[in-house]
């Protein structure tokens, strides 16, 4: 019977156990129950303690040359980030007089070239804030550039054997299995044409398909006349006791931007004097509150 077969050959249940472990690992990653490294390590310990792999197999991944190379590349990227070299290169490459498509072409070309020699993840983390600030400075939506930034780094990872973590891990596995290891630029024979086609597609079609929204900051800038806010005046306010118009002028604000003044009353009623330092809330909300008048703040 099947039960006798499983008892006679313990390896029969190994694939099912590993499959269940992978499903649990996937669920932990999706739900965010643990961080990815902790979830993967717990899955490794589970398979290890079940006797499916031995100690040498369990720790072999930590000594894999590809994994070590990934760690070294993170150190290299950190040095590049501290030297501000990437910041200078990015600003010169993007330009300040370029249109959307020309700027997008420059961005994708830069990412395509850099990610061929550095790991993708730190390159994206390094260039994302630079790209976002540049797009806002030029008046473009950052969402039009961030997806092409990510995809162009993926295309650049197809140029060399150190372009992505996957390439390095595969090289390490090929070395362990004594297979033929490709040269440094061998995979570029396929990767370069694919990346070139991908970049052309991103430049031509990306601005059409990608959203033009710029998030909260862009909405606040475009709809600043429709936004209202509330400011509470503290006792340390340096214009306390001064006329409202003078205080607003000293702050660089027009008097028309003030909707109303709401004074915070204490239990003991009193009439605020010009020198009174009781807190005042300048509010834009509607309600039966004291309207803004010619009195003091």
């Amino acid at each position: 019977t099947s039960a006798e077969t499983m008892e006679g050959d313990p390896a029969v249940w190994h694939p099912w156990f590993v499959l269940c472990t992978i499903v649990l690992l996937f669920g932990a990653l999706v739900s965010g129950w643990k961080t990815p490294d902790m979830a993967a390590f717990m899955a490794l310990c589970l398979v290890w303690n079940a006797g499916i792999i031995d100690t040498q197999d369990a720790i072999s991944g930590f000594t894999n040359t590809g994994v070590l190379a990934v760690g070294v590349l993170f150190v290299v990227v950190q040095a590049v980030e501290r030297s501000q070299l990437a910041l200078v290169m990015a600003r010169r490459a993007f330009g300040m007089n370029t249109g959307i498509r020309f700027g997008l072409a420059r961005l994708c070309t830069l990412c395509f070239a850099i990610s061929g020699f550095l790991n993708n993840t730190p390159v994206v983390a390094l260039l994302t804030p630079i790209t976002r600030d540049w797009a806002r400075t030029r008046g473009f939506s950052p969402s039009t550039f961030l997806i092409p930034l990510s995809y162009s780094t993926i295309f650049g990872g197809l140029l060399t054997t150190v372009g992505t973590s996957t390439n390095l891990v595969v090289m390490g596995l090929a070395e362990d299995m004594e297979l033929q290891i490709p040269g440094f630029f061998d995979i570029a024979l396929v990767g370069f044409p694919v990346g070139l086609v991908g970049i052309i597609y991103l430049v031509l079609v990306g601005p059409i398909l990608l959203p033009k929204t710029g998030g909260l900051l862009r909405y606040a800038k475009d709809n600043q006349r429709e936004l209202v806010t509330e400011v509470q005046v503290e006792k340390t306010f340096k214009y306390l006791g001064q006329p409202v118009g003078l205080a607003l002028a000293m702050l660089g604000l027009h008097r028309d931007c003030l909707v109303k003044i709401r004074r915070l009353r204490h239990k003991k009623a009193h009439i605020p004097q010009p020198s009174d330092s009781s807190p005042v809330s300048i509010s834009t909300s509607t309600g039966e509150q004291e309207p803004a008048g010619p009195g003091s703040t």
Side-chain angles (χ1 to χ4, degrees), residues 271-294:
I271 301 176
Q273 300 298 325
S275 59
D276 192 0
S277 59
S278 59
V280 176
S281 176
I282 302 178
S283 175
T284 58
S285 59
T286 59
E288 298 180 358
Q289 302 292 343
E290 180 180 350

mmCIF file of all heavy atoms in Angstrom, residues 271-294:
data_model
loop_
_atom_site.group_PDB
_atom_site.id
_atom_site.type_symbol
_atom_site.label_atom_id
_atom_site.label_comp_id
_atom_site.label_asym_id
_atom_site.label_seq_id
_atom_site.Cartn_x
_atom_site.Cartn_y
_atom_site.Cartn_z
ATOM 1 N N ILE A 271 -11.945 88.851 28.883
ATOM 2 C CA ILE A 271 -11.873 89.516 27.590
ATOM 3 C C ILE A 271 -10.416 89.638 27.200
ATOM 4 O O ILE A 271 -9.626 90.250 27.919
ATOM 5 C CB ILE A 271 -12.517 90.914 27.653
ATOM 6 C CG1 ILE A 271 -13.989 90.778 28.074
ATOM 7 C CG2 ILE A 271 -12.394 91.616 26.299
ATOM 8 C CD1 ILE A 271 -14.671 92.108 28.250
ATOM 9 N N PRO A 272 -9.999 89.021 26.087
ATOM 10 C CA PRO A 272 -8.595 89.100 25.680
ATOM 11 C C PRO A 272 -8.180 90.538 25.399
ATOM 12 O O PRO A 272 -8.896 91.280 24.721
ATOM 13 C CB PRO A 272 -8.549 88.253 24.409
ATOM 14 C CG PRO A 272 -9.777 87.417 24.453
ATOM 15 C CD PRO A 272 -10.797 88.219 25.175
ATOM 16 N N GLN A 273 -7.090 90.915 25.949
ATOM 17 C CA GLN A 273 -6.521 92.228 25.728
ATOM 18 C C GLN A 273 -5.403 92.118 24.691
ATOM 19 O O GLN A 273 -4.907 91.028 24.391
ATOM 20 C CB GLN A 273 -5.965 92.788 27.045
ATOM 21 C CG GLN A 273 -7.021 92.928 28.137
ATOM 22 C CD GLN A 273 -8.124 93.905 27.759
ATOM 23 O OE1 GLN A 273 -7.858 94.905 27.086
ATOM 24 N NE2 GLN A 273 -9.352 93.621 28.189
ATOM 25 N N PRO A 274 -4.974 93.247 24.151
ATOM 26 C CA PRO A 274 -3.873 93.185 23.174
ATOM 27 C C PRO A 274 -2.626 92.517 23.705
ATOM 28 O O PRO A 274 -1.877 91.930 22.968
ATOM 29 C CB PRO A 274 -3.629 94.660 22.837
ATOM 30 C CG PRO A 274 -4.955 95.335 23.101
ATOM 31 C CD PRO A 274 -5.543 94.596 24.268
ATOM 32 N N SER A 275 -2.420 92.591 25.030
ATOM 33 C CA SER A 275 -1.227 91.965 25.611
ATOM 34 C C SER A 275 -1.501 90.582 26.156
ATOM 35 O O SER A 275 -0.623 89.958 26.739
ATOM 36 C CB SER A 275 -0.668 92.854 26.725
ATOM 37 O OG SER A 275 -1.660 93.039 27.735
ATOM 38 N N ASP A 276 -2.757 90.118 25.998
ATOM 39 C CA ASP A 276 -3.118 88.803 26.525
ATOM 40 C C ASP A 276 -2.392 87.726 25.744
ATOM 41 O O ASP A 276 -2.340 87.753 24.531
ATOM 42 C CB ASP A 276 -4.630 88.613 26.408
ATOM 43 C CG ASP A 276 -5.097 87.402 27.185
ATOM 44 O OD1 ASP A 276 -4.239 86.744 27.800
ATOM 45 O OD2 ASP A 276 -6.310 87.140 27.167
ATOM 46 N N SER A 277 -1.821 86.729 26.472
ATOM 47 C CA SER A 277 -1.035 85.667 25.835
ATOM 48 C C SER A 277 -1.774 84.347 25.792
ATOM 49 O O SER A 277 -1.177 83.307 25.715
ATOM 50 C CB SER A 277 0.294 85.470 26.583
ATOM 51 O OG SER A 277 0.038 85.130 27.934
ATOM 52 N N SER A 278 -3.124 84.375 25.907
ATOM 53 C CA SER A 278 -3.883 83.127 25.847
ATOM 54 C C SER A 278 -3.814 82.555 24.447
ATOM 55 O O SER A 278 -3.779 83.292 23.460
ATOM 56 C CB SER A 278 -5.345 83.385 26.235
ATOM 57 O OG SER A 278 -5.918 84.338 25.370
ATOM 58 N N PRO A 279 -3.781 81.202 24.329
ATOM 59 C CA PRO A 279 -3.652 80.574 23.009
ATOM 60 C C PRO A 279 -4.812 80.939 22.098
ATOM 61 O O PRO A 279 -5.950 81.035 22.529
ATOM 62 C CB PRO A 279 -3.638 79.083 23.323
ATOM 63 C CG PRO A 279 -3.282 79.000 24.769
ATOM 64 C CD PRO A 279 -3.828 80.229 25.410
ATOM 65 N N VAL A 280 -4.516 81.133 20.838
ATOM 66 C CA VAL A 280 -5.514 81.460 19.831
ATOM 67 C C VAL A 280 -5.366 80.481 18.684
ATOM 68 O O VAL A 280 -4.258 80.213 18.237
ATOM 69 C CB VAL A 280 -5.344 82.914 19.328
ATOM 70 C CG1 VAL A 280 -6.337 83.193 18.205
ATOM 71 C CG2 VAL A 280 -5.561 83.895 20.474
ATOM 72 N N SER A 281 -6.467 79.933 18.213
ATOM 73 C CA SER A 281 -6.435 79.017 17.077
ATOM 74 C C SER A 281 -6.996 79.732 15.863
ATOM 75 O O SER A 281 -8.159 80.114 15.849
ATOM 76 C CB SER A 281 -7.243 77.761 17.391
ATOM 77 O OG SER A 281 -7.293 76.934 16.270
ATOM 78 N N ILE A 282 -6.145 79.924 14.880
ATOM 79 C CA ILE A 282 -6.590 80.498 13.610
ATOM 80 C C ILE A 282 -7.069 79.349 12.749
ATOM 81 O O ILE A 282 -6.267 78.538 12.298
ATOM 82 C CB ILE A 282 -5.458 81.275 12.925
ATOM 83 C CG1 ILE A 282 -4.968 82.384 13.853
ATOM 84 C CG2 ILE A 282 -5.928 81.846 11.601
ATOM 85 C CD1 ILE A 282 -3.815 83.163 13.271
ATOM 86 N N SER A 283 -8.359 79.283 12.512
ATOM 87 C CA SER A 283 -8.951 78.095 11.897
ATOM 88 C C SER A 283 -9.616 78.447 10.583
ATOM 89 O O SER A 283 -10.114 79.549 10.399
ATOM 90 C CB SER A 283 -9.976 77.485 12.854
ATOM 91 O OG SER A 283 -10.643 76.416 12.237
ATOM 92 N N THR A 284 -9.627 77.467 9.700
ATOM 93 C CA THR A 284 -10.330 77.631 8.430
ATOM 94 C C THR A 284 -11.585 76.782 8.372
ATOM 95 O O THR A 284 -12.243 76.738 7.345
ATOM 96 C CB THR A 284 -9.407 77.235 7.276
ATOM 97 O OG1 THR A 284 -8.996 75.896 7.481
ATOM 98 C CG2 THR A 284 -8.212 78.152 7.192
ATOM 99 N N SER A 285 -11.898 76.069 9.459
ATOM 100 C CA SER A 285 -13.099 75.237 9.452
ATOM 101 C C SER A 285 -14.327 76.118 9.617
ATOM 102 O O SER A 285 -14.258 77.212 10.161
ATOM 103 C CB SER A 285 -13.038 74.212 10.589
ATOM 104 O OG SER A 285 -12.924 74.874 11.831
ATOM 105 N N THR A 286 -15.481 75.614 9.178
ATOM 106 C CA THR A 286 -16.717 76.376 9.259
ATOM 107 C C THR A 286 -17.414 76.086 10.563
ATOM 108 O O THR A 286 -17.246 75.040 11.171
ATOM 109 C CB THR A 286 -17.646 76.017 8.092
ATOM 110 O OG1 THR A 286 -17.912 74.624 8.140
ATOM 111 C CG2 THR A 286 -16.993 76.395 6.770
ATOM 112 N N GLY A 287 -18.249 76.993 11.011
ATOM 113 C CA GLY A 287 -18.966 76.807 12.255
ATOM 114 C C GLY A 287 -19.300 78.141 12.872
ATOM 115 O O GLY A 287 -18.934 79.219 12.367
ATOM 116 N N GLU A 288 -19.979 78.105 13.975
ATOM 117 C CA GLU A 288 -20.370 79.342 14.649
ATOM 118 C C GLU A 288 -19.257 79.773 15.569
ATOM 119 O O GLU A 288 -19.331 79.614 16.781
ATOM 120 C CB GLU A 288 -21.688 79.119 15.409
ATOM 121 C CG GLU A 288 -22.854 78.763 14.483
ATOM 122 C CD GLU A 288 -24.119 78.545 15.268
ATOM 123 O OE1 GLU A 288 -24.055 78.630 16.516
ATOM 124 O OE2 GLU A 288 -25.158 78.304 14.643
ATOM 125 N N GLN A 289 -18.210 80.288 15.005
ATOM 126 C CA GLN A 289 -17.062 80.761 15.752
ATOM 127 C C GLN A 289 -16.890 82.242 15.474
ATOM 128 O O GLN A 289 -17.547 82.823 14.599
ATOM 129 C CB GLN A 289 -15.804 79.974 15.370
ATOM 130 C CG GLN A 289 -15.913 78.475 15.579
ATOM 131 C CD GLN A 289 -15.996 78.113 17.046
ATOM 132 O OE1 GLN A 289 -15.677 78.899 17.902
ATOM 133 N NE2 GLN A 289 -16.478 76.912 17.321
ATOM 134 N N GLU A 290 -15.969 82.849 16.197
ATOM 135 C CA GLU A 290 -15.735 84.273 16.045
ATOM 136 C C GLU A 290 -15.075 84.541 14.704
ATOM 137 O O GLU A 290 -14.016 84.000 14.386
ATOM 138 C CB GLU A 290 -14.819 84.758 17.173
ATOM 139 C CG GLU A 290 -14.517 86.241 17.090
ATOM 140 C CD GLU A 290 -13.617 86.675 18.208
ATOM 141 O OE1 GLU A 290 -13.401 85.873 19.127
ATOM 142 O OE2 GLU A 290 -13.093 87.808 18.151
ATOM 143 N N PRO A 291 -15.670 85.353 13.863
ATOM 144 C CA PRO A 291 -15.068 85.649 12.558
ATOM 145 C C PRO A 291 -13.847 86.516 12.699
ATOM 146 O O PRO A 291 -13.666 87.189 13.695
ATOM 147 C CB PRO A 291 -16.198 86.356 11.802
ATOM 148 C CG PRO A 291 -16.994 87.001 12.875
ATOM 149 C CD PRO A 291 -16.950 86.076 14.051
ATOM 150 N N ALA A 292 -13.003 86.447 11.661
ATOM 151 C CA ALA A 292 -11.802 87.282 11.658
ATOM 152 C C ALA A 292 -12.199 88.737 11.554
ATOM 153 O O ALA A 292 -12.953 89.152 10.685
ATOM 154 C CB ALA A 292 -10.909 86.908 10.485
ATOM 155 N N GLY A 293 -11.713 89.518 12.443
ATOM 156 C CA GLY A 293 -12.014 90.934 12.459
ATOM 157 C C GLY A 293 -10.784 91.777 12.555
ATOM 158 O O GLY A 293 -9.662 91.273 12.477
ATOM 159 N N PRO A 294 -10.947 93.023 12.778
ATOM 160 C CA PRO A 294 -9.790 93.917 12.818
ATOM 161 C C PRO A 294 -9.031 93.844 14.127
ATOM 162 O O PRO A 294 -8.115 94.616 14.336
ATOM 163 C CB PRO A 294 -10.425 95.294 12.594
ATOM 164 C CG PRO A 294 -11.809 95.168 13.154
ATOM 165 C CD PRO A 294 -12.224 93.773 12.857
#
